[in-house]
Amino acid sequence: MFLKMIKNDFSRKKIITLTVFVFITMAVLLGASATNIVANLVQSMSELQKHAVPADITQMHAGEYNQGEIDQFTEKHREHIEMQETMFLLTLDGRNIHFGNNQTMAGTVQDISFVVQNKKFDFILDLNNEKLDVKEGFVAVPIYFMEQYDLNVGDTIRVKSGEYEKLFVISDYARDFEMNSSLTSSKRFVINQKDYNEMLATEAGELEYLIEFKLHENGDAQAVQTAYIEAGLPANGPTVGGKIFLLFNAMSDAAVGMVIILISILLIIIASLCIRLTFLATMEEDLREIGVMKAIGLSRKDIKNVYLNKYRIMSVAAGIIGYLFSFVLVNLFNGNMRLYLSSDLSGNLKYLLSLLAPLFVYFMIVMYTRKILKRIDKISAVEALRSDILKHEKSRKYSFPLLKNKFLPVHIYMGFRDVGKRSKLYMLLFLIYVVCTFIIILPLNMYNTMNSPEFSTYMGIGKSDMRIDLRRTDTITEDFKKLQEELINDSEIEKYAAYITSSYKVKNAEGSWDYMNIETGDFSVFPLHYLEGRAPVGEGEIALSYANASKDGLNKKVGKEVIVEVGGTEKSLTVSGIYQDITNGGKTAKAHPSLGINEEAILWYIVSLDVAGGADIREKMGYYQNTYDSAQVNDIEEYTKQTLGNIIAVIIAVLITALFLKMLLSKDMSQIAIIKSLGLTSQNVKHQYMAGTLLVLVFGIIFGVLASNYLGEFLVSMAMSTMGAAKIELVSIAWQTWLLCPIALMLVVGYTVSVCCKVTETDDLSVVLRS
Amino acid sequence: MSNILVARNINKKVPLGKDNELHILKNVNLEIEEGEFISVMGPSGSGKSTLLYNISSMDRITSGSVEFKGSEISKRNEEELAKMRLKNMGFIFQDINLLKNLSVIDNMMFPALVSKDADKNAVNQKARKLLEMTGIEKLADNNITQGSGGQLQRVGICRALINDPDIIFGDEPTGALDSKATEEIMSILADVNQNGTTVMLVTHDAKVAAKTERILLMKDGNLVAEKKLGKYTAKHDDIKEREESLMKWLVEKGF
Ligand SMILES: Nc1ncnc2c1ncn2[C@@H]1O[C@H](COP(=O)(O)OP(=O)(O)O)[C@@H](O)[C@H]1O
Ligand SMILES: [Mg+2]
């Protein structure tokens, strides 16, 4: 009996039911995928941790070192410390490591060191989570570099530093619990003890120490750290707690999970709105139905159950489908985790944890339905006291009288006033349009921001027509000279400036030396927007990127001194300004040419130029690209404009509009028939509904655009700040946000309305009007 | 007097299930003179309403022809028919069928405001005059839920009259009203007819039909008989007499 009624209800509201179902299923699918990712993350992390046995406290140190002192300290604090081991790091600069076709790892923001596998703990693993055991002549390369430089097992790398030169064959990926993440700025290459000894003997790199402690289960890390400092033991570098590695490792996958969960929540909201819409739109019809059910002797509770069961059945079906398919979907997101954390993601926690998503969605939907049903309950209870409703209505003022309308055709006005009269119903549509606009505009703004000339400012590049990059090759220096000569003689070039980036040693906040890429040249030609201060145009001046100037970097303000080593001598530079840069890890600097160039450490040359009026930029680009092998010539790149967000938004807009109108039209069937009997055409009726819908759409677009401009900018700024930008101002191109997108949406929605209205054109008008 | 509406051999069939159809109107012929006050009686289900809606362009006839004011209308397109309903015809229903979200006076003015060059002041004045004539001026700005059936049916009549139609069609306009309200409505309709508007009513109430000029009897999709009583005026005619004669005729015809 119940089942038959539910089936009846399903078939009466096919489209709406299907749509609600799709949204619920999607919400479950994404929610389950996200929890699946989290489960995999938790399990593979704990698995990795079990095999790698990371240190609880790691003290970095460079300089004098005495193992005896450390041993003494360890014995003294045995109640906390289980094991101690010191790892010896031979640190090398990226340019000492050659691979592939004349390439080097120069310019990497990572500190590179060569190590031998530990004996007691903090093991570096292979992709099977086995302890690495590297043979002579072989090397295990950190996953980060394998990915970054597209290396494979079996490839070779050549280490060339001073007198030392040796070819290593890559035997393994190095999965390094402590330093896997791109957020940790050091990476460890694992080699054999014999190779290491040889490297050490020829002083191929600088020696650093990782003084590592593994504590007992109840060991107090804080106590050990304090005691360590008080004992005056070697501490010429930062101390790192064990927890931070966990965090870094989880970060990128957790972020993916978070984004998916957010989308899933958005879908649950849309599904709820749809359910509410169903109830609001079909209420009258349902009330009649409820009357019938009462007549055949069903109690109120039974009646409620009919509706509740419908959504129960839907949620259960959606839950099962979403849950099962999440295991397929999740594979799209697991690549990163497979590589960095665990190749084997067969842990079974995910089966349990992803059950949370369907359960959560089920309870949300059922709870929401219950809440709505309560409202229906109230109405049907009051219905008997119809006069109460009438009294209530009497007190309400009559709004939008027809004579108020001065300019619009009356049917258009009727469409508009309907929005005011049934604001609750239209509010849902409005919210959905806001979401759709947001989904369209935000990616559009981001795309425009990235393509705008101003965006170069975030990348630490002054505005120019064109930019030629000369990347490291054997002929780079000659190319650069030739290019400059040619540019001087090219009458079609209005102005140009050449910049050289090389690697320098810079004294960091702790007083030790870091490598930093500094660009030198004339920075007055193509001015850059400085957050603080100005360009380094005077002798002995340097400008720092935001990330470099911040606390995590050199911690320098404008006017402070920075010590840089050039050609073996130390030079003191004054910070003239701070700018935003999200390239190269956000840590860059620009200096006046008086700094001088580290000849052997040149990374790349850049020439920025403006083309004289009338000359063809494209042609110029083609010419320089072809003439110089090492050149990479860019103007504002043309990406494909189509983003996934647009499509999803348009589909949601069409679907919901169709749904909304279908329900509105069937609800208004008799009113439409009356209007037609009075002498309005189907065309008039269509325009009436179009007017109302488009009015709502216009407001939806306005709010959606504002939301993406302000809220979106805030979100993007937050995301970008992790990359080293202080504040991103989204570029919104007015004709796109206020003209193109609205027109596109209006056309789509308008078309949907007109298609939906077609259905109402039945031949015989009287059917609805007879009693 | 010329005919305002002439129906010839009209048939109406509606599909019933997959390969079945219901033949509701069977070769019906009907002529209505300009200024006539006519009513259609007959057992329920005999096709009275169907006849009314099919000759008034609201529904499409299956075959036959309908001439309105001398020209064929059954082949006209939707837009032309809509325009005709707007300008030349008025409808009143048993269910009244007012627009929910409009006040009483807005419901009345709505059809007049549809044409682009409507003079809003004139429309408003005319609506007020109609309200006065039907005795519901106090209701003007009320919501349509705040009125008795009789009052609301008067609103329906006012709406039908707002564009000065040539003919008013009524499908049992008094079907849901008590006898007092019925009398009031009939007296308004008589006045309307007195002013020259043709009126055609469908009714199963002999008291209502007795106040009309000519009564048609419908049976099973056919017009089987008609009775002419002549124009009724309260002053000169004895309503009891008309009712009795009509009843006698109806019994005679087997109704
Ligand atoms: N659109 C329709 N579809 C199916 N049957 C209909 C339709 N319109 C009318 N009928 C049927 O035709 C018959 C005549 O209807 P109607 O004209 O309303 O009769 P009356 O008004 O005389 O009571 C009835 O049996 C009714 O059920
Ligand atoms: Mg009828």
Side-chain angles (χ1 to χ4, degrees):
Chain A
M1 181 67 200
F2 274 132
L3 218 60
K4 209 175 140 208
M5 274 184 186
I6 292 165
K7 227 167 88 187
N8 184 23
D9 196 67
F10 269 131
S11 62
R12 231 166 17 100
K13 305 169 193 160
K14 259 185 223 123
I15 298 176
I16 174 78
T17 307
L18 201 69
T19 312
V20 173
F21 182 73
V22 167
F23 282 121
I24 300 180
T25 312
M26 290 291 285
V28 174
L29 178 62
L30 290 176
S33 299
T35 42
N36 194 324
I37 288 172
V38 172
N40 276 335
L41 193 59
V42 168
Q43 248 177 351
S44 52
M45 285 274 279
S46 81
E47 195 65 14
L48 181 58
Q49 194 166 12
K50 205 172 84 197
H51 288 103
V53 201
D56 293 313
I57 302 169
T58 303
Q59 174 66 55
M60 298 187 189
H61 175 69
E64 290 283 303
Y65 177 75
N66 180 345
Q67 182 64 41
E69 285 172 6
I70 305 286
D71 289 342
Q72 256 176 353
F73 175 81
T74 307
E75 285 312 317
K76 207 169 139 198
H77 296 92
R78 266 298 167 202
E79 81 264 34
H80 295 301
I81 302 170
E82 188 192 342
M83 294 181 279
Q84 192 280 324
E85 183 161 15
T86 298
M87 184 178 260
F88 299 79
L89 279 65
L90 269 175
T91 62
L92 287 163
D93 191 70
R95 76 187 114 100
N96 297 128
I97 299 172
H98 301 249
F99 64 94
N101 196 1
N102 262 331
Q103 290 169 282
T104 75
M105 295 187 184
T108 179
V109 286
Q110 297 285 344
D111 297 333
I112 294 169
S113 57
F114 280 71
V115 302
V116 177
Q117 178 74 282
N118 265 353
K119 304 261 169 336
K120 300 179 189 162
F121 62 96
D122 182 19
F123 303 118
I124 301 172
L125 310 172
D126 65 13
L127 288 186
N128 297 321
N129 280 354
E130 304 278 351
K131 235 191 289 179
L132 277 170
D133 180 16
V134 182
K135 301 275 177 299
E136 216 179 322
F138 289 91
V139 64
V141 177
I143 297 170
Y144 175 88
F145 285 116
M146 295 293 274
E147 292 268 279
Q148 181 95 343
Y149 297 117
D150 212 4
L151 298 171
N152 292 303
V153 171
D155 289 353
T156 55
I157 62 170
R158 183 180 295 280
V159 180
K160 224 156 84 177
S161 168
E163 313 232 305
Y164 182 82
E165 178 168 354
K166 187 173 169 100
L167 192 73
F168 289 94
V169 178
I170 300 174
S171 65
D172 278 297
Y173 284 75
R175 182 181 280 156
D176 184 341
F177 186 89
E178 297 200 355
M179 296 177 183
N180 249 346
S181 160
S182 57
L183 297 167
T184 337
S185 66
S186 308
K187 295 284 166 281
R188 301 188 282 194
F189 288 65
V190 186
I191 50 173
N192 187 276
Q193 184 75 51
K194 282 211 184 94
D195 289 327
Y196 180 86
N197 291 345
E198 194 187 328
M199 232 188 226
L200 190 65
T202 49
E203 292 184 4
E206 278 174 54
L207 201 54
E208 277 184 29
Y209 306 89
L210 288 185
I211 304 157
E212 301 180 295
F213 297 93
K214 178 90 201 141
L215 306 184
H216 293 297
E217 217 164 303
N218 308 318
D220 182 349
Q222 195 54 51
V224 175
Q225 267 184 47
T226 316
Y228 188 91
I229 293 164
E230 278 169 1
L233 290 170
N236 195 1
T239 317
V240 185
K243 294 243 163 32
I244 195 86
F245 298 127
L246 214 64
L247 188 70
F248 282 166
N249 265 326
M251 198 84 107
S252 59
D253 290 309
V256 171
M258 292 255 283
V259 169
I260 301 175
I261 287 177
L262 274 177
I263 298 176
S264 155
I265 288 175
L266 200 69
L267 283 171
I268 295 178
I269 293 174
I270 293 182
S272 309
L273 289 180
C274 281
I275 294 175
R276 186 157 159 63
L277 202 63
T278 327
F279 277 110
L280 278 179
T282 59
M283 191 123 78
E284 281 157 42
E285 207 179 322
D286 286 343
L287 279 177
R288 219 171 302 144
E289 197 94 330
I290 288 170
V292 175
M293 288 191 233
K294 271 187 184 158
I296 60 172
L298 290 181
S299 72
R300 175 165 297 157
K301 205 175 139 219
D302 291 336
I303 293 170
K304 262 180 159 182
N305 267 333
V306 171
Y307 288 89
L308 214 47
N309 281 341
K310 174 184 164 186
Y311 287 100
R312 282 202 185 112
I313 291 174
M314 250 157 85
S315 306
V316 168
I320 291 170
I321 295 174
Y323 176 74
L324 291 180
F325 276 91
S326 73
F327 293 100
V328 181
L329 182 70
V330 85
N331 282 324
L332 292 178
F333 303 108
N334 270 345
N336 189 51
M337 209 186 299
R338 262 180 215 290
L339 200 54
Y340 281 91
L341 299 183
S342 168
S343 316
D344 177 25
L345 295 178
S346 65
N348 42 25
L349 180 63
K350 58 176 176 253
Y351 299 110
L352 209 71
L353 204 62
S354 350
L355 270 179
L356 282 179
L359 288 177
F360 177 73
V361 171
Y362 177 85
F363 283 115
M364 285 298 290
I365 298 295
V366 170
M367 219 174 66
Y368 195 72
T369 311
R370 263 183 210 284
K371 214 182 125 208
I372 295 175
L373 282 175
K374 216 174 261 165
R375 207 165 304 175
I376 285 186
D377 212 27
K378 243 182 248 157
I379 289 172
S380 55
V382 172
E383 228 196 352
L385 315 158
R386 189 114 223 169
S387 55
D388 274 357
I389 300 182
L390 299 185
K391 245 180 237 149
H392 176 71
E393 276 182 15
K394 200 179 247 171
S395 60
R396 225 170 39 196
K397 220 178 130 253
Y398 179 64
S399 46
F400 310 109
L402 290 186
L403 289 179
K404 265 272 167 61
N405 166 38
K406 294 278 187 290
F407 315 103
L408 298 168
V410 71
H411 59 280
I412 302 289
Y413 182 70
M414 288 288 277
F416 287 162
R417 74 194 288 286
D418 193 40
V419 177
K421 289 273 176 194
R422 291 191 280 186
S423 48
K424 244 189 197 167
L425 203 61
Y426 282 98
M427 186 54 122
L428 297 174
L429 195 63
F430 166 77
L431 287 177
I432 284 164
Y433 286 151
V434 171
V435 172
C436 289
T437 311
F438 186 83
I439 297 175
I440 294 177
I441 296 287
L442 186 60
L444 190 70
N445 281 352
M446 281 173 65
Y447 165 80
N448 284 330
T449 307
M450 285 195 269
N451 281 294
S452 72
E454 282 83 26
F455 190 65
S456 58
T457 278
Y458 299 116
M459 307 220 292
I461 307 162
K463 253 191 244 184
S464 65
D465 287 351
M466 189 167 131
R467 183 184 127 131
I468 303 172
D469 282 40
L470 294 180
R471 290 278 158 180
R472 178 114 214 143
T473 57
D474 290 342
T475 60
I476 181 172
T477 311
E478 289 122 68
D479 279 355
F480 185 56
K481 286 202 186 102
K482 221 170 87 198
L483 176 63
Q484 279 185 290
E485 277 164 26
E486 191 158 357
L487 287 172
I488 292 173
N489 296 324
D490 190 336
S491 61
E492 285 183 337
I493 303 294
E494 190 183 297
K495 56 180 180 179
Y496 81 92
Y499 304 102
I500 305 168
T501 302
S502 45
S503 177
Y504 299 83
K505 275 189 187 173
V506 177
K507 206 168 245 170
N508 64 21
E510 280 105 27
S512 56
W513 293 96
D514 276 347
Y515 281 101
M516 188 193 272
N517 301 338
I518 302 177
E519 190 177 22
T520 57
D522 183 354
F523 294 101
S524 62
V525 184
F526 297 100
L528 181 68
H529 175 72
Y530 286 82
L531 287 173
E532 267 178 72
R534 51 169 180 78
V537 287
E539 252 183 54
E541 286 186 340
I542 187 168
L544 299 176
S545 70
Y546 178 72
N548 247 340
S550 71
K551 286 208 176 61
D552 300 329
L554 299 176
N555 196 10
K556 297 282 184 196
K557 291 213 166 58
V558 173
K560 291 275 165 14
E561 303 278 297
V562 175
I563 311 291
V564 179
E565 198 190 277
V566 192
T569 58
E570 291 180 17
K571 275 192 184 174
S572 174
L573 303 179
T574 313
V575 178
S576 68
I578 295 169
Y579 59 92
Q580 306 198 59
D581 192 349
I582 55 169
T583 58
N584 296 312
K587 296 197 173 184
T588 61
K590 298 176 189 298
H592 187 262
S594 61
L595 171 65
I597 295 158
N598 256 350
E599 289 292 348
E600 80 285 8
I602 291 175
L603 300 171
W604 59 76
Y605 298 91
I606 292 173
V607 176
S608 293
L609 50 91
D610 272 358
V611 177
D616 185 356
I617 297 182
R618 225 150 261 287
E619 200 179 289
K620 277 277 152 225
M621 275 173 52
Y623 170 74
Y624 284 106
Q625 182 80 70
N626 290 332
T627 315
Y628 297 91
D629 286 345
S630 55
Q632 194 194 344
V633 184
N634 293 306
D635 73 337
I636 296 162
E637 256 182 89
E638 282 173 35
Y639 295 89
T640 50
K641 292 221 171 188
Q642 203 61 271
T643 59
L644 195 62
N646 287 353
I647 300 167
I648 292 175
V650 168
I651 290 175
I652 293 180
V654 167
L655 215 64
I656 305 272
T657 306
L659 202 74
F660 185 82
L661 270 151
K662 273 228 103 109
M663 288 189 302
L664 208 57
L665 291 173
S666 74
K667 185 181 160 81
D668 290 357
M669 202 155 66
S670 67
Q671 297 284 298
I672 292 170
I674 295 171
I675 287 177
K676 281 187 173 178
S677 79
L678 293 175
L680 273 80
T681 58
S682 304
Q683 198 74 5
N684 293 145
V685 172
K686 184 194 285 182
H687 290 157
Q688 173 178 336
Y689 283 90
M690 208 173 274
T693 314
L694 291 185
L695 179 73
V696 173
L697 179 62
V698 165
F699 280 105
I701 289 173
I702 291 172
F703 277 80
V705 168
L706 292 179
S708 52
N709 280 0
Y710 292 101
L711 182 69
E713 186 168 289
F714 173 72
L715 291 174
V716 172
S717 284
M718 282 217 318
M720 294 294 244
S721 68
T722 60
M723 289 164 69
K727 185 177 184 304
I728 298 271
E729 270 172 40
L730 282 184
V731 175
S732 79
I733 297 178
W735 70 268
Q736 289 184 353
T737 34
W738 294 115
L739 208 69
L740 187 68
C741 159
I743 287 179
L745 265 177
M746 284 202 204
L747 283 180
V748 168
V749 169
Y751 182 72
T752 311
V753 174
S754 83
V755 168
C756 286
C757 283
K758 270 229 173 70
V759 187
T760 62
E761 284 176 34
T762 47
D763 281 341
D764 286 352
L765 258 180
S766 75
V767 178
V768 190
L769 297 173
R770 300 189 193 193
S771 48
Chain B
M1 273 274 189
S2 61
N3 287 330
I4 187 167
L5 194 141
V6 179
R8 288 201 185 90
N9 291 324
I10 58 167
N11 281 283
K12 176 69 174 181
K13 296 174 184 169
V14 293
L16 208 67
K18 257 191 195 127
D19 27 38
N20 226 338
E21 55 180 17
L22 186 66
H23 199 161
I24 307 173
L25 298 179
K26 299 164 184 164
N27 275 323
V28 178
N29 287 286
L30 170 67
E31 292 178 5
I32 302 174
E33 261 182 41
E34 233 178 272
E36 222 182 343
F37 195 170
I38 186 174
S39 63
V40 181
M41 295 195 74
S44 114
S46 58
K48 306 183 295 290
S49 302
T50 308
L51 174 67
L52 182 125
Y53 293 117
N54 276 280
I55 60 174
S56 65
S57 83
M58 201 95 98
D59 294 355
R60 294 264 182 194
I61 55 176
T62 310
S63 67
S65 75
V66 179
E67 267 174 32
F68 179 69
K69 293 176 81 173
S71 59
E72 169 71 39
I73 59 165
S74 58
K75 304 282 184 308
R76 288 188 185 172
N77 66 23
E78 195 216 333
E79 203 168 322
E80 289 167 330
L81 292 178
K83 201 168 165 191
M84 187 182 67
R85 283 198 295 275
L86 184 69
K87 300 281 179 209
N88 307 110
M89 296 175 173
F91 291 89
I92 43 184
F93 310 89
Q94 178 173 347
D95 280 353
I96 307 167
N97 286 333
L98 296 174
L99 291 170
K100 264 189 284 187
N101 287 323
L102 292 179
S103 66
V104 163
I105 191 154
D106 276 355
N107 255 293
M108 290 168 48
M109 293 191 294
F110 180 77
L113 295 173
V114 170
S115 57
K116 284 190 197 85
D117 42 2
D119 175 352
K120 296 198 172 75
N121 276 332
V123 169
N124 193 22
Q125 267 169 19
K126 190 169 176 191
R128 303 253 167 211
K129 206 176 274 167
L130 284 169
L131 281 167
E132 225 169 281
M133 181 193 113
T134 51
I136 47 168
E137 58 269 49
K138 271 194 245 120
L139 256 55
D141 298 310
N142 280 17
N143 199 303
I144 57 152
T145 49
Q146 308 160 242
S148 68
Q151 288 172 324
L152 293 182
Q153 191 55 284
R154 282 187 250 182
V155 178
I157 296 174
C158 292
R159 178 178 67 181
L161 288 171
I162 194 84
N163 278 340
D164 295 322
D166 300 308
I167 184 166
I168 285 186
F169 296 99
D171 187 5
E172 312 214 18
T174 59
L177 303 180
D178 59 31
S179 58
K180 187 166 166 277
T182 300
E183 245 168 68
E184 285 163 1
I185 293 296
M186 283 312 290
S187 115
I188 292 170
L189 286 176
D191 288 347
V192 168
N193 180 246
Q194 207 62 55
N195 293 336
T197 310
T198 313
V199 180
M200 175 187 175
L201 297 184
V202 163
T203 181
H204 56 247
D205 184 348
K207 280 187 180 165
V208 168
K211 287 180 177 167
T212 64
E213 200 176 339
R214 177 159 66 112
I215 299 103
L216 303 173
L217 184 59
M218 187 143 210
K219 251 187 196 169
D220 196 22
N222 277 307
L223 285 174
V224 291
E226 73 167 31
K227 168 110 179 143
K228 283 189 175 149
L229 289 176
K231 277 238 193 303
Y232 165 76
T233 38
K235 262 188 225 154
H236 307 110
D237 297 315
D238 181 4
I239 187 66
K240 282 273 170 314
E241 208 172 284
R242 282 174 77 108
E243 275 171 22
E244 269 162 31
S245 116
L246 178 60
M247 285 306 276
K248 217 170 96 194
W249 176 73
L250 286 173
V251 173
E252 215 169 89
K253 296 290 167 195
F255 175 50

